[in-house]
Structures are given as structure tokens and as C-alpha cells.
Amino acid sequence: MSTPSSDPKLPVIVIGAGPIGLAAAAHLVTRGLRPLVLEAGAFAGAAIREWGHVSLFSPWGFNTDAAARALLEPRGWVAPDPERVPTGAELVREYIQPLAAAPEISPHIRYGARVVGVGRRGIDKTRTVGRERHPLLVRVETSGGIEEVEAAAIIDASGTWSTPNPLGASGYPAAGEAVCAPWLVGALPDVLGRDRARFAGRSTLVVGLGHSAANTLLALVELAESVPGTEIFWAIRGHSPHRLYGGGDADELPARGALGTRLRAAVDSGRITLLRDFAIHSLGATPAGRVKVKAGGSTEIVVDAIAAATGFRPDLDMLREVRLDLDPVVEAPARLAPLIDPNHHSCGTVEPHGAEILAQPETGVYIVGMKSYGRAPTFLLATGYEQVRSVVAAIAGDHEAAARVELILPESGVCCVAPGVPEARVTVGFPTGLEHGFAGEVARG
């Protein structure tokens, strides 16, 4: 099991000030260790702030960390109703912001600090002899230029938000995808709010077979009910959408089951045009200011906007100079991959796990949170909190606590959906479950 540098003066660097990174910081300070949280954004939870209109599947009872609560509660913070399902904005406002502002945590966060490289001082990846005598080194890009910071250990909780999967059917961007960026609206557009004008009375193609696609599609259906001329197309690479339709009334999470039921009804009624076996090969602008999307053979469609809900992948370039053992399929830690490979698993089948599973060949380096799941879309916030509890225990030398499992998940898992289904608007889910899913016949991020 990895242990940190023997130099007690060095901080444990946490990459990312999202919920998992801040939980890691809370565990570190609780154990008397000094964190340094490096956040690329200007605020804690910067990625979540970009989709504050969305709702989670999981209720508050699964969305906060025990060590974080222990820091907050003595200062008057009251945990939200454990049965209530928050939006992304509520998660930031009611939990992430207070945690980032806690006096034990806030002095240790640097904003506007983007990590661009991780390695060891004075040697590259190929050097083996005496390797661990060289301290871990993090290269950081800030407004003032490039800095290098030494670390006792590194916890990479940077997520995958900044590296979405492309539209191309083969894993690479489709021909013309970069040029047609003005027509791409991202995975989580605010269809009924901030971005409404982009979709009202226009034609939109949604690509993907996960919950993000489903929620965007249903938001567009709601928009089309009040704005004539709003057209909705849904493209999947495979033939059947039934995996996303789910178990309906039999689903152990009612909101999730209702999501699939409503989507199926919208397709069956013709409000959504389903394009099966639609593997995108190229994009191109038209003289009329629209975008033409071509799939296999002569299949093509012309629309005004494309929502690419095709999932995300980890940014591994920043870790190029450390030694990693990653699965070749999902790009997750090799020992974790068999538990999460979406070709075989769905949310609720991933066992709680910690430092032993996440430790890398590079001593003192751990990948946690959504990034630890690589291209798999089944991550749970509660699972991430258990990861960092165990990892921090290992860094502190408490291997008994690191090996202990302190998380029990419900049999059905905790996947993401909006509250109030079917009465309330269904919005896109937070990445605590099958957020984006597969854009083909099997779950694929």
C-alpha cells in the first residue's frame, strides 16, 4: 500500500475542490495532516456551478461526507433533510460552499490553480533506482505563470468534466467536429432556463444513451409543448434504447423509473424522433447557418444544435510522468476496473473500496472520485467519500482503518435523477450514478 514521503513539512496535495476533493481535505485536517487543495476554477465546486439547474438522483443522505459534517456542525451548519433531493446549485450552496469556507479548510485552497503535470523532482518516469528519494512534484499553471510544488502524497480528485467524449463513432472527434463547435451545446444545457432561446422553435439532436441524454430530451419535450416548431431528435449508436428505459414501476428508485417511463412515452408518441444505429462520422455547416450531421451510409440530418451526452473520460496527460496501473478498457485503476466495467455492471453493483484498490505503482499517488472510474459512468458520491476516507487513513499510516469498509450502499445503488417525477420538471442528473451512459447498444460513457 502506498505511503507518503517521510518529509512531514510537505503537504498532501489534493487536485480539485469538488465534493470529493473537499472531503479528502476534511479527512486530512482531521488526522492532523496539511492539505493543499489546487482548484482550476475560481470557486469550489466550479464544475457543478456550470449546471446548477440540474437535480441529483440521490437524496442528501448520500451526498455529504462524515468528516466534513464533523467540521461543519459545531459551527451551526445543519444537515439538509436526508430524504430531499438537491439540485446542483443547492449542493454547492448548502454544502460545498460552507465546507470550502470552514476555517480548517479554506486557508489550504488555492483557486485558479490548474494542475498540468505530476511527477518527481529531478527525474522522469523511466528512473527506478532511488526513485522514492525524490519528492513528488506538481506543476501548476496560475495567472502568474507556472509553479512547481512538492508533495508528501497526491490525491487526484480532478474529475472528468473538462474532458468529454467526442461525437465521433470511433472514439475520436468526428470530421468537422472542432469547426462545428458553435453548434455544440455540451452535455448539460439549461434547456428550460438560461439556454432556452437556443432551443425554442428550433431543431436539436441529442446524442447518447444515458440519463443526461434522457433528461435533456424530456426538457426539450416540455419546451416543445409551449413553443411550436421545437423539433427533437435522439441518436444512439446501437439499435435498442431499452436499457435507458429501465424497469419503470419496478425500479427501486421511483424517480429513476419514472424517467425511463416518460422517455419511452415521448418516443412512442412521436414527440421525439429516435435515430437508431446512428454512428456519427462527420459534421458540417450549411449555408443556412445550421449543422449537417452524417452517419453511416447516406444517413444524415440537419439541425440547429447538438447536445453531446456521450460521457466523459479522464485527463491522463497530467499524470504522464508518474507510474500508473490502469485498465486498458475503462482507464480506471486496474484493480477497480473489473468492479465498474460498464460492459458488465450498472449502478448498484460496485462494492465500496479504498486505498488498497486505488493505490498506484507510484508511491503516494491516488486517483479518486469520478476520475477513478475512468470512462465508466457508474460513480456514486457516497463511494467517493469512502474512497478518500480510506486513502487518507493509508497516507496517515493507519492501515487498519484504510482496510476497513465503512460504507453500506442500498442494493439498488444510488443513481442520479430529478425529484418530483412526474409532476416536476425532470432535469439532468449529477454524476452520482449512470449519468451519461452509453451511446450505443451497451452502456458506454
Side-chain angles (χ1 to χ4, degrees):
M1 183 176 292
S2 297
T3 54
S5 164
S6 59
D7 189 344
K9 295 176 294 195
L10 296 179
V12 175
I13 290 183
V14 178
I15 306 174
I20 306 304
L22 291 176
H27 283 277
L28 287 164
V29 299
T30 299
R31 286 186 171 271
L33 299 174
R34 180 165 63 95
L36 174 58
V37 183
L38 301 175
E39 167 58 45
F43 309 96
I48 301 173
R49 291 168 185 261
E50 295 189 27
W51 42 269
H53 60 286
V54 309
S55 300
L56 286 64
F57 274 150
S58 48
W60 271 114
F62 291 98
N63 296 332
T64 62
D65 171 75
R69 294 194 301 270
L71 293 179
L72 291 170
E73 287 170 349
R75 292 180 171 81
W77 180 83
V78 178
D81 177 357
E83 300 300 320
R84 179 165 64 89
V85 179
T87 64
E90 290 169 337
L91 183 69
V92 171
R93 183 176 63 251
E94 298 179 36
Y95 175 64
I96 292 177
Q97 279 183 336
L99 182 56
E104 297 89 348
I105 301 259
S106 61
H108 304 295
I109 305 177
R110 290 185 59 188
Y111 298 107
R114 180 178 299 279
V115 173
V116 295
V118 177
R120 288 192 178 271
R121 172 74 72 185
I123 58 173
D124 66 13
K125 188 176 185 177
T126 65
R127 170 77 174 268
T128 297
V129 177
R131 183 171 187 81
E132 293 181 13
R133 294 198 297 268
H134 294 257
L136 290 164
L137 187 71
V138 175
R139 178 166 287 195
V140 187
E141 184 179 75
T142 70
S143 59
I146 297 293
E147 302 177 23
E148 292 184 339
V149 185
E150 293 182 357
I154 296 170
I155 302 174
D156 184 355
S158 58
T160 57
W161 175 257
S162 63
T163 47
N165 286 328
L167 282 166
S170 300
Y172 293 101
E177 187 167 337
V179 175
C180 291
W183 286 273
L184 305 183
V185 297
L188 311 175
D190 188 358
V191 172
L192 297 167
R194 179 189 62 230
D195 304 320
R196 179 186 175 93
R198 186 77 183 265
F199 305 101
R202 299 190 176 192
S203 177
T204 302
L205 173 66
V206 179
V207 184
L209 191 56
H211 289 119
S212 288
N215 284 302
T216 298
L217 287 163
L218 290 173
L220 286 165
V221 168
E222 183 174 335
L223 179 64
E225 290 173 354
S226 59
V227 182
T230 301
E231 291 186 293
I232 310 162
F233 297 91
W234 176 24
I236 60 175
R237 292 175 187 164
H239 188 72
S240 174
H242 291 288
R243 186 190 62 78
L244 183 53
Y245 292 161
D249 293 341
D251 197 301
E252 292 190 46
L253 291 176
R256 184 178 63 194
L259 180 74
T261 299
R262 290 185 65 197
L263 179 63
R264 182 170 194 161
V267 172
D268 290 346
S269 67
R271 289 175 290 173
I272 295 173
T273 301
L274 175 62
L275 306 174
R276 305 171 188 265
D277 304 307
F278 197 88
I280 296 174
H281 292 167
S282 67
L283 308 177
T286 72
R290 308 179 80 199
V291 60
K292 179 184 293 185
V293 185
K294 290 186 177 181
S298 59
T299 306
E300 64 181 44
I301 185 174
V302 177
V303 294
D304 299 298
I306 303 172
T310 51
F312 296 87
R313 58 183 61 182
D315 174 9
L316 299 177
D317 285 345
M318 61 190 282
L319 302 175
R320 185 173 296 277
E321 288 304 320
V322 291
R323 298 179 176 185
L324 303 177
D325 184 14
L326 302 179
D327 178 74
V329 177
V330 294
E331 297 179 337
R335 297 183 64 184
L336 175 60
L339 304 178
I340 64 173
D341 186 339
N343 291 290
H344 309 291
H345 297 276
S346 65
C347 63
T349 65
V350 181
E351 299 175 358
H353 53 276
E356 184 177 1
I357 294 292
L358 300 172
Q360 291 297 316
E362 194 71 63
T363 300
V365 173
Y366 298 88
I367 303 173
V368 301
M370 188 69 202
K371 188 169 183 176
S372 73
Y373 275 43
R375 299 193 186 198
T378 54
F379 176 69
L380 305 168
L381 269 184
T383 299
Y385 295 144
E386 173 68 1
Q387 287 180 337
V388 296
R389 182 206 62 78
S390 174
V391 164
V392 171
I395 291 172
D398 187 351
H399 300 304
E400 180 182 354
R404 192 166 57 238
V405 174
E406 296 186 3
L407 171 67
I408 299 176
L409 293 172
E411 184 177 349
S412 63
V414 184
C415 296
C416 42
V417 77
V421 179
E423 293 82 5
R425 175 193 311 170
V426 177
T427 55
V428 69
F430 181 65
T432 54
L434 285 172
E435 179 199 7
H436 296 280
F438 282 174
E441 63 272 33
V442 292
R444 184 181 186 82

